[in-house]
Amino acid sequence: TVISPVYWEESIGEHQVSNQGGTHGMDQNNNIFVAIPESSLGDVIPKKDDKISRCGSDDTFTVIAVEDFRFGSKSVRHIEITAK
């Protein structure tokens, strides 16, 4: 299913890992944030553990959270997805 238009933002980061067991290193913390206007949703609403990808890309991401903001002024109703 293709949902369009959407706002898609990738955040790429990493943080240092260190624990008492002697494990040290860097861990990647890459997230995807997608805002989908209510007018773009149609019948499909992504849910946790769904796979999503950006149109034209072979990379897939797993949805870890979905927040529903379909209330208030009609022009700002949307859902927000966080994926890894």
Side-chain angles (χ1 to χ4, degrees), residues 11-17 25-30:
S11 66
I12 299 170
E14 61 184 19
H15 63 275
Q16 188 170 356
V17 176
M26 300 300 284
D27 188 25
Q28 288 192 335
N29 187 20
N30 302 337

Side-chain angles (χ1 to χ4, degrees), residues 64-76:
I64 59 174
V66 178
E67 295 182 80
D68 193 341
F69 294 98
R70 292 178 293 162
F71 55 84
S73 175
K74 191 172 183 172
S75 64
V76 297

Side-chain angles (χ1 to χ4, degrees), residues 51-80:
K51 301 291 185 196
I52 62 171
S53 64
R54 190 173 202 167
C55 200
S57 172
D58 292 332
D59 296 332
T60 61
F61 304 92
T62 302
V63 174
I64 59 174
V66 178
E67 295 182 80
D68 193 341
F69 294 98
R70 292 178 293 162
F71 55 84
S73 175
K74 191 172 183 172
S75 64
V76 297
R77 295 177 190 169
H78 67 286
I79 64 168
E80 294 180 358

Side-chain angles (χ1 to χ4, degrees), residues 42-54:
D43 301 358
V44 179
I45 297 177
K47 59 187 180 306
K48 189 174 189 232
D49 296 326
D50 279 355
K51 301 291 185 196
I52 62 171
S53 64
R54 190 173 202 167

